[in-house]
């Protein structure tokens, strides 16, 4: 495809309530919505980096710079043959997988819409619905307990509790006592070190499905040292930034479960490569989330239809996070089952009047 123009729009959308993790207390989503226009067809992508580098090192300002100065001009100059090759053509610019994914996702969506095909079909996804779990932020014990009860009652297939030192056993004890059989996991977002082995051994006693990113956000070696000391499998999130990093993590034994976030790994081509590697090595995967708006959430849902995504993902109902979303379609799970939007591409459209009210800046770069 030849790309006529790319729109970079920064949106700010308030969360319904504060989402507290070991690394931040977030009150709103700030994201770049990239629109690719080609031959009268639009495609959309959404970024996952934060304003400041609190989850990984990328930032919105850094991504906008890279998009303006390098990625968008290259796309406008060369167009795109197969979107599977696009991210490789950007290898001259190192790293920055989240910035690259923002634009790559928009190209994939545009490409799928031009073919009048749901995105999932281009990825080899057969399912028309996916199983989802819920990720619960850190709140006082009674509130968290009530939230677990509600999400279990709503049929969510897995409950994930955010933890940090001093906020682990204290919440796991009552939750496990009341819900002995639910699929339960914890996500530390890098809050522990190997010196915390005593408490990590306690966390190991709760029959968790996996422990997500207990150690440093870029680490492989310490996770590989921790894994054999625990019965519970380790799952990596923050550390996994590319297919090569996933291979390194698996070769080292740093994790036995893979959380794929399409933005963090550099887009859909990278996701497909990680998927095929994990399937061939028999490693279970699931699709993570970054509290995306309907654009990023729809991409995640299509990704999670691929056969290797065998555990419930984090792509829960948008209404848990937002009073009003920027897409016209409501992405809502029923009994822990999320339908895949039908229609071409990611299958969602923008609610333009509302989008304008949450837009902080818009720029259009033309060929
Ligand atoms: O670590 O998975 C994470 C949200 C923002 C940043 C990191 C994470 C999360 C979540 C929420 O756990 C997942 C979601 O509901 O989108
Ligand atoms: Mg995580």
């Amino acid at each position: 495809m030849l790309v006529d123009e790319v729109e970079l729009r920064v949106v700010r959308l308030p969360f319904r309530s504060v989402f507290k993790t070991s690394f931040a207390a977030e009150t709103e989503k700030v994201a770049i919505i990239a629109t690719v226009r080609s031959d009268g067809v639009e495609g959309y992508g959404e970024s996952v980096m934060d304003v400041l580098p609190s989850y990984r090192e990328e930032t919105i300002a850094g991504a906008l710079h890279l998009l303006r100065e390098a990625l968008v001009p290259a796309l406008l100059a060369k167009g795109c043959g197969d979107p599977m090759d696009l991210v490789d053509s950007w290898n001259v610019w190192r790293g920055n997988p989240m910035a690259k994914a923002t634009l790559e996702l928009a190209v994939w969506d545009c490409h799928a819409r031009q073919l009048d095909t749901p995105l999932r079909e281009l990825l080899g996804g057969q399912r028309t619905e996916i199983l989802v779990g819920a990720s619960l932020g850190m709140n006082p014990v009674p509130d968290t307990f009530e939230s677990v009860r509600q999400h279990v009652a709503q049929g969510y297939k897995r409950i994930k509790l955010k933890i940090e030192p001093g906020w682990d056993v204290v919440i796991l004890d009552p939750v496990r006592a009341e819900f002995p059989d639910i699929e339960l996991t914890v996500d530390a977002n890098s809050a522990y070190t190997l010196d915390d082995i005593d408490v990590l051994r306690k966390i190991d006693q709760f029959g968790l499905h996996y422990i997500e990113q207990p150690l440093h956000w870029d680490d492989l070696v310490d996770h590989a040292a921790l894994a054999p000391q625990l019965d519970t499998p380790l799952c990596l999130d923050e550390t996994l930034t590319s297919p090569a990093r996933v291979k390194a993590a698996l070769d080292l034994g740093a994790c036995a479960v893979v959380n794929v976030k399409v933005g963090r790994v550099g887009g859909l081509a990278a996701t497909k490569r990680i998927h095929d590697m994990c399937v061939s090595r028999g490693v279970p995967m699931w699709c993570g989330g970054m509290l995306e708006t309907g654009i990023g959430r729809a991409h995640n849902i299509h990704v999670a239809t691929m056969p290797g995504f065998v555990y419930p993902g984090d792509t829960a109902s948008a209404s848990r996070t937002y009073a009003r979303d920027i897409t016209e379609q409501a992405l809502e799970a029923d009994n822990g089952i999320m339908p895949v939007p039908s229609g071409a591409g990611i299958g969602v459209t923008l609610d333009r009047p509302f989008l304008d009210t949450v837009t902080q800046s818009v720029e259009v770069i033309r060929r």
Side-chain angles (χ1 to χ4, degrees), residues 196-216:
D196 297 310
I197 187 64
D198 291 347
V199 70
L200 291 165
R201 285 216 168 91
K202 285 185 191 144
I203 295 168
D204 197 26
Q205 303 304 307
F206 287 93
L208 302 175
H209 212 58
Y210 48 81
I211 299 172
E212 186 175 339
Q213 197 76 35
L215 309 178
H216 187 278

Side-chain angles (χ1 to χ4, degrees), residues 19 23 135 160 162 187 189 212 237 261 289-291 314:
F19 189 71
F23 68 90
S135 172
K160 155 167 142 184
K162 293 287 189 181
D187 185 358
N189 289 111
E212 186 175 339
D237 173 353
K261 288 179 181 168
M290 296 287 282
L291 302 166
D314 267 347

Side-chain angles (χ1 to χ4, degrees), residues 94-325:
R94 293 178 179 175
N96 291 277
M98 293 176 176
K100 290 172 178 172
T102 308
L103 186 59
E104 197 235 29
L105 291 175
V107 172
W108 273 99
D109 181 33
C110 186
H111 178 66
R113 288 180 201 254
Q114 289 182 336
L115 297 173
D116 199 23
T117 306
L119 178 63
R120 66 174 173 80
E121 288 189 16
L122 302 184
L123 303 172
Q126 314 257 302
R127 301 173 196 146
T128 56
E129 51 189 35
I130 59 164
L131 301 185
V132 291
S135 172
L136 311 187
M138 297 193 294
N139 285 302
V141 173
D143 304 41
T144 307
F145 191 79
E146 176 57 19
S147 181
V148 173
R149 203 190 56 70
Q150 280 175 16
H151 284 93
V152 170
Q154 286 166 19
Y156 279 103
K157 305 300 180 201
R158 178 270 278 141
I159 302 293
K160 155 167 142 184
L161 302 173
K162 293 287 189 181
I163 59 165
E164 67 183 9
W167 189 256
D168 36 44
V169 176
V170 79
I171 185 68
L172 280 167
D173 254 332
V175 168
R176 224 0 158 197
E178 185 72 15
F179 305 98
D181 301 323
I182 59 169
E183 188 169 314
L184 186 65
T185 71
V186 291
D187 185 358
N189 289 111
S190 311
Y192 298 82
T193 71
L194 284 177
D195 292 339
D196 297 310
I197 187 64
D198 291 347
V199 70
L200 291 165
R201 285 216 168 91
K202 285 185 191 144
I203 295 168
D204 197 26
Q205 303 304 307
F206 287 93
L208 302 175
H209 212 58
Y210 48 81
I211 299 172
E212 186 175 339
Q213 197 76 35
L215 309 178
H216 187 278
W217 53 270
D218 204 34
D219 168 75
L220 289 171
V221 172
D222 284 359
H223 283 98
L226 176 62
Q229 301 183 58
L230 303 177
D231 291 330
T232 311
L234 296 185
C235 171
L236 286 177
D237 173 353
E238 280 87 333
T239 291
L240 304 179
T241 51
S242 66
R245 285 228 109 197
V246 175
K247 179 179 184 299
L250 298 177
D251 288 353
L252 278 169
C255 69
V257 178
V258 167
N259 168 339
V260 170
K261 288 179 181 168
V262 64
R264 189 194 64 233
V265 302
L268 286 166
T271 294
K272 175 86 177 131
R273 288 169 194 153
I274 291 167
H275 171 272
D276 294 353
M277 183 192 336
C278 288
V279 168
S280 76
R281 297 174 72 139
V283 175
M285 314 164 66
W286 58 279
C287 182
M290 296 287 282
L291 302 166
E292 287 90 345
T293 78
I295 297 299
R297 195 172 298 269
H299 274 284
N300 291 344
I301 295 168
H302 282 266
V303 160
T305 65
M306 296 162 76
F309 287 81
V310 292
Y311 291 167
D314 267 347
T315 306
S317 295
S319 63
R320 291 179 65 244
T321 304
Y322 299 107
R324 185 169 173 183
D325 205 341

